[in-house]
Amino acid sequence: MADLLIPTHSRRAIVEAGKILAGDISDDAASIAEAERAFRIAHDWRTAHQVPMRHIRMSLASQMR
């Protein structure tokens, strides 16, 4: 797991980004900028968990065979 990335955002920032993305996003510039920031945080979180989740998935698939 040498490709493991460390999440760069706090748990609070990740939860807040999820709330922003789950809510209504208006078309004013401030809302759009906030949504873009939330998308970046969510993307970073997914990227940081991609390798461990793939490892678990492959391990489970191997055990099921």
Side-chain angles (χ1 to χ4, degrees), residues 13-31:
I14 294 165
V15 169
E16 195 61 36
K19 289 179 183 177
I20 291 168
L21 295 174
D24 292 329
I25 300 170
S26 63
D27 58 356
D28 64 78
S31 263

Side-chain angles (χ1 to χ4, degrees), residues 9-10 13-14 17 36-46:
H9 301 285
S10 69
I14 294 165
E36 287 174 349
R37 182 177 177 278
F39 272 111
R40 277 194 300 278
I41 291 171
H43 177 72
D44 289 349
W45 186 88
R46 284 190 296 264

Side-chain angles (χ1 to χ4, degrees), residues 38-61:
F39 272 111
R40 277 194 300 278
I41 291 171
H43 177 72
D44 289 349
W45 186 88
R46 284 190 296 264
T47 301
H49 290 83
Q50 182 178 5
V51 172
M53 292 300 291
R54 186 179 317 135
H55 177 73
I56 290 170
R57 181 176 162 260
M58 293 178 120
S59 176
L60 288 173

